[in-house]
Amino acid sequence: MTTSRPPPFDAWLFPPGLPQPQALEHVGSDTVTIRYPKSDHHLAYILVSSLRAARPPLAGLETRDLITLLGAAGERFPHTLDEEAIGEVAANAGLSPPMTREVLGGMADSWTTDALKRLVRAEFPDPRVLDGFVAEDGRKTHAAAPGVTLHLGAGSVPGVTITSLLRALLVRSPVLVKPGAGDEVLTTRFARELHRADPRLAAAVAVHYWPGGSPGRATWEQELLTLADQVVVYGDDDTIESVRARAPASTRLVEHPHRLGVAIVDPDSAPGAAADAARAVAMFDQRGCVSTHLILLLGDHEGAREWCGHLAGHLARIDAKLPPAPPSPAELSARHQLKGRLALRETTTEEVTSWAPEGAGWTLVLGPGRAFEPVGGRTVWVVPVPAAAACPDVLAPLSAKLQTVGLAGVRPDRGRLAEALFGLGATRIVPLDQVPFPPPDWLHDGSRPLRELVCWSELR
């Protein structure tokens, strides 16, 4: 018996009044096919021009009214996703439906009216500065984003692009969004909700997916990078460097490269930390910039081995509750190669022990810090360290990628640990149970997420 393939999903949404694309391309699999417009020189100019014309009506909304509109849409959106829609989002994102629901539940907490109010208040104590010039310290100041913002999203975690486009709209910037591969369905569905919410939002929001970096899109991408006033880009080092090399000097760049998370745990002071650690590892199938890949465990090797047994049990329970999606061929290859390297190390040294049950969606490795390699796919390394003061030395090789540090049973103020972690590049140091879902006003990669989007003007 054969099953019919689902209809293709249209991963574009243009402002009302613009002509709909006639020539389409597609990419996909047996579970989901994504359709998108073909490259068109005139379309790039038409899209950006239309969005730029939508800026004055968007700017005419007072901040409190804009927050209400966006927050109401964010609160409604999760309720518009039935089981079929969740399955479509999951297939597109490469996550299981249970994990997709868990991720959306956590991400959507930052899309509510209260969350957006908190974000704006945290960055602009007097939000009227987004509405016009406000007197302060002998001058008047005004903040707003510079025109149209092009968002180049990453598909690693569904929902990140939604958060990014909401930030731009809050500071009065119309948005052209290119979702990352794997986030097309969720992003486009949310944009449709914004279009239904208010005609001013509909005019200011466009979605257009295309395969990033493909040779046939080089001219198209160059045109958009030139036409946009600001570009927000998420991705790996190659993606960031490519955009940086092609964007003109007049285009502002906001970059969010790949990051990873670690944890520091004192098992004697935090007896429940293994459960929190397992969740921090498993959430997003370890694809998020906040995801924990390495755990520094205070104590000796034998104590760490016993604690790893507890961690393995919690990873197995999460595996049953929030199973990973079937791995891609690339992920299977990476896991196979890792298992081969681990098997060789385990035969030559007692320092390395691994837990990788047949059929499990996770791998746990106990070993020295010098052996650590971030592989992903719910692969976590546990490194025993004698004391918290030794942790910065172990983490020093990761400083270029370090973002989130989760702490359990460890005081960040003792021995100036927080200062040392900050010196290594950590921009978020939080309790381990708070690692997966940052609050809306977190310092994203060390920057204030709204202030990094705006320009300021002063009137004296």
Side-chain angles (χ1 to χ4, degrees):
M1 177 178 173
T2 60
T3 58
S4 60
R5 296 180 63 175
F9 182 88
D10 290 332
W12 80 87
L13 182 66
F14 295 166
L18 291 190
Q20 295 300 298
Q22 300 300 312
L24 303 174
E25 298 177 328
H26 69 274
V27 64
S29 63
D30 292 336
T31 55
V32 60
T33 299
I34 300 298
R35 287 198 309 190
Y36 54 92
K38 293 190 71 173
S39 177
D40 183 337
H41 167 76
H42 298 290
L43 178 58
Y45 178 79
I46 291 170
L47 270 176
V48 176
S49 297
S50 175
L51 291 169
R52 186 165 284 116
R55 190 184 185 196
L58 188 65
L61 281 164
E62 290 191 7
T63 296
R64 61 184 179 183
D65 296 330
L66 184 55
I67 289 173
T68 299
L69 275 175
L70 296 174
E75 289 160 12
R76 284 193 306 269
F77 179 65
H79 303 291
T80 68
L81 302 175
D82 57 17
E83 288 302 309
E84 182 179 352
I86 289 290
E88 190 176 40
V89 172
N92 181 222
L95 299 174
S96 68
M99 177 60 79
T100 299
R101 283 189 288 270
E102 189 80 6
V103 169
L104 287 179
M107 298 292 287
D109 285 345
S110 66
W111 306 336
T112 67
T113 302
D114 286 344
L116 298 181
K117 283 181 181 177
R118 177 180 172 183
L119 172 59
V120 170
R121 284 285 183 183
E123 301 202 30
F124 305 101
D126 186 346
R128 294 178 304 158
V129 76
L130 294 169
D131 301 331
F133 283 95
V134 175
E136 180 186 25
D137 297 331
R139 62 179 175 177
K140 293 181 178 180
T141 57
H142 182 19
V148 176
T149 298
L150 170 64
H151 294 257
L152 303 176
S156 52
V157 176
V160 170
T161 303
I162 291 174
T163 299
S164 183
L165 75 89
L166 283 173
R167 291 171 178 171
L169 291 171
L170 280 172
V171 292
R172 309 303 202 284
S173 180
V175 293
L176 172 56
V177 179
K178 176 204 171 298
D183 198 18
E184 304 100 315
V185 171
L186 188 67
T187 301
T188 307
R189 282 182 173 274
F190 188 84
R192 291 173 186 165
E193 186 65 34
L194 292 178
H195 274 227
R196 288 189 289 266
D198 187 272
R200 289 162 293 190
L201 294 180
V205 175
V207 177
H208 186 332
Y209 172 75
W210 69 88
S214 58
R217 288 280 175 169
T219 301
W220 162 261
E221 290 181 349
Q222 186 64 59
E223 288 173 343
L224 287 178
L225 289 172
T226 302
L227 290 168
D229 302 284
Q230 179 166 257
V231 177
V232 178
V233 54
Y234 291 76
D236 58 22
D237 290 349
D238 290 342
T239 299
I240 300 293
E241 290 171 5
S242 173
V243 172
R244 187 186 294 165
R246 292 178 294 156
S250 58
T251 301
R252 298 179 79 230
L253 293 182
V254 178
E255 303 167 358
H256 291 288
H258 174 68
R259 302 291 185 184
L260 59 81
V262 303
I264 302 175
V265 175
D266 182 349
D268 294 332
S269 301
D276 293 331
R279 186 169 184 268
V281 169
M283 193 58 60
F284 320 115
D285 286 355
Q286 214 176 28
R287 300 178 193 171
C289 61
V290 300
S291 295
T292 300
H293 293 255
L294 170 66
I295 300 171
L296 304 187
L297 193 75
L298 306 192
D300 58 22
H301 190 85
E302 287 307 310
R305 186 188 299 272
E306 180 180 353
W307 191 82
C308 282
H310 298 301
L311 179 58
H314 286 291
L315 287 168
R317 283 187 279 277
I318 288 182
D319 209 42
K321 180 182 178 182
L322 301 173
S328 67
E331 290 171 333
L332 279 174
S333 175
R335 291 181 189 178
H336 178 73
Q337 294 179 40
L338 175 64
K339 287 183 178 180
R341 292 192 294 272
L342 290 175
L344 178 62
R345 286 172 176 166
E346 288 182 66
T347 59
T348 58
T349 176
E350 295 182 355
E351 286 186 298
V352 176
T353 305
S354 64
W355 290 256
E358 191 67 30
W362 54 273
T363 301
L364 168 59
V365 183
L366 170 63
R370 64 179 180 278
F372 169 68
E373 51 180 308
V375 175
R378 301 192 188 187
T379 300
V380 59
W381 294 67
V382 175
V383 174
V385 292
C391 292
D393 288 339
V394 178
L395 296 176
L398 306 178
S399 62
K401 298 292 184 183
L402 191 59
Q403 188 215 66
T404 294
V405 179
L407 303 180
V410 177
R411 289 179 53 182
D413 57 343
R414 180 167 292 175
R416 296 180 61 81
L417 177 62
E419 294 291 340
L421 294 173
F422 174 67
L424 291 174
T427 56
R428 181 170 175 251
I429 305 167
V430 297
L432 183 56
D433 62 351
Q434 297 178 20
V435 161
F437 295 105
D441 58 345
W442 73 303
L443 300 179
H444 190 174
D445 289 341
S447 297
R448 293 194 177 275
L450 295 184
R451 285 191 172 238
E452 71 177 355
L453 298 175
V454 302
C455 292
W456 290 80
S457 180
E458 64 175 348
L459 176 62
R460 292 183 182 269

